[in-house]
Amino acid sequence: AHARHDDGIIADTRAIISARPDLLLATTGYGIRRWFEVADAAGLGDALTEALGSADILVRGPKARGGIRAAGLRDSGMSEVETTASLISKALAESQRGLTVAVQVHGFTDEPQLDRLRAAHTVLTVAPYSWTRVGSTDERVQHLVEAIAARQLDAVTFTSAPSVDALLAAAEAMGLLQEVVDALHTEVLAAAV
């Protein structure tokens, strides 16, 4: 059994396995690990590893490289800076046109960067996790925003810039942005990795 929100990941995984991409762009360690967890749970883990085994793999940074190695794969290079733009620039500079490229995207998908890639290659994406802009759709996020606004927490931790953006977007959608910002300036400590 899998969560309904994993259906899209599973469909994208099946498409990537079928396409047998020439190149994989890995953007985050967590995303790669989550992708393989979902694939394994759906019985697709071995097929995914096999399909990516013959692909050239470029990583966005050390965490993405760690995720690739944990999956039993090897990358052939890392972008100069830990940004999607840098990773895509490297891929465009180092590959001939017309490849099938799989991209593990993260958080808020960077469409302008993907469009640069699409101009030269066939692009398939998988988003093992994402931050939605709508704050009230996830009850846990709603409770977190309310607890921060009410100053019921001593601290709140963030693992990425998109998670900060997502929380503030949720607070704004709920009409509590100013209360959350005020709380984070005073009693509620904000901590980031």
Side-chain angles (χ1 to χ4, degrees):
H2 63 270
R4 193 179 308 119
H5 60 261
D6 289 344
D7 287 347
I9 301 167
I10 292 165
D12 291 340
T13 301
R14 287 186 198 284
I16 288 168
I17 290 167
S18 298
R20 303 193 67 78
D22 304 297
L23 178 63
L24 168 66
L25 302 185
T27 62
T28 62
Y30 173 74
I32 291 294
R33 284 191 297 278
R34 168 121 172 79
W35 184 18
F36 276 86
E37 280 167 18
V38 172
D40 283 337
L44 298 170
D46 290 343
L48 179 60
T49 302
E50 205 255 322
L52 297 177
S54 56
D56 226 4
I57 301 172
L58 296 178
V59 297
R60 199 180 70 146
K63 289 180 186 168
R65 174 169 281 164
I68 287 297
R69 290 190 176 161
L73 298 166
R74 285 263 173 251
D75 66 271
S76 58
M78 188 186 304
S79 56
E80 268 178 57
V81 204
E82 209 168 337
T83 63
T84 301
S86 176
L87 179 63
I88 287 176
S89 292
K90 182 175 180 67
L92 290 170
E94 294 179 7
S95 58
Q96 78 262 23
R97 295 176 67 90
L99 299 180
T100 298
V101 183
V103 185
Q104 172 259 314
V105 294
H106 65 97
F108 296 117
T109 306
D110 194 339
E111 287 300 331
Q113 295 306 322
L114 288 176
D115 287 342
R116 288 174 59 211
L117 203 57
R118 287 183 185 115
H121 303 292
T122 300
V123 177
L124 296 157
T125 61
V126 60
Y129 65 100
S130 64
W131 303 110
T132 56
R133 277 254 175 243
V134 198
S136 55
T137 54
D138 189 326
E139 232 173 74
R140 293 165 304 175
V141 175
Q142 201 171 348
H143 291 312
L144 179 61
V145 167
E146 288 165 351
I148 294 168
R151 300 164 193 226
Q152 295 168 337
L153 302 175
D154 295 315
V156 61
T157 60
F158 297 97
T159 57
S160 66
S163 65
V164 175
D165 196 30
L167 185 84
L168 295 177
E172 188 173 25
M174 294 168 64
L176 290 172
L177 180 61
Q178 196 55 55
E179 289 87 339
V180 166
V181 170
D182 290 346
L184 292 174
H185 275 297
T186 55
E187 287 113 293
V188 183
L189 176 72
V193 174

